[in-house]
Amino acid sequence: MNSLRVSSYIIPVKLENETEKYILIHGYTGAIDIIEEKYWNELKNFPENNRFTSETLQLLQNRGYLTTKTEHEEYEYVAQLAQLLHRKQSKLHKSFGFLVTYNYNFRCPYCFESNISNHGCNWSKKVLT
């Protein structure tokens, strides 16, 4: 198991109400676990001074906290997963926007349509029928 390494997508959060405990969140597997601080310290320093049993190592790997992927392979996996989820989401949910009128000057400092006034005054003053 020398090829195992700590995943780059672990989000550790120290619990305020429970001293010496952490909640671990894994970014792409969705695993959420509460562990004692001593185990978090051992995990983040893995594989040095590894005292985990083979069953615990298997569990950590199944939850995504340990991986055999390199950092680059893990990054590529997450990128592919994100693209797949984005494509699925865009097929399932369509959105439409309605502009009732262009009868304003598009000069608000926060306006994302400010370049629309480059089409000329006549174009932006059209009235809907």
Side-chain angles (χ1 to χ4, degrees), residues 8 13 17 22-23 28 52 57-58 86 90 115 118 123 129:
S8 301
V13 179
N17 296 333
Y22 275 78
I23 186 167
Y28 63 83
F52 292 122
L57 288 173
Q58 186 62 48
H86 178 70
S90 66
N115 66 345
N118 294 336
W123 184 84
T129 61

Side-chain angles (χ1 to χ4, degrees), residues 13-26:
V13 179
K14 187 166 179 58
L15 295 177
E16 292 179 11
N17 296 333
E18 295 187 52
T19 58
E20 299 182 14
K21 288 199 177 180
Y22 275 78
I23 186 167
L24 295 186
I25 305 165
H26 195 274

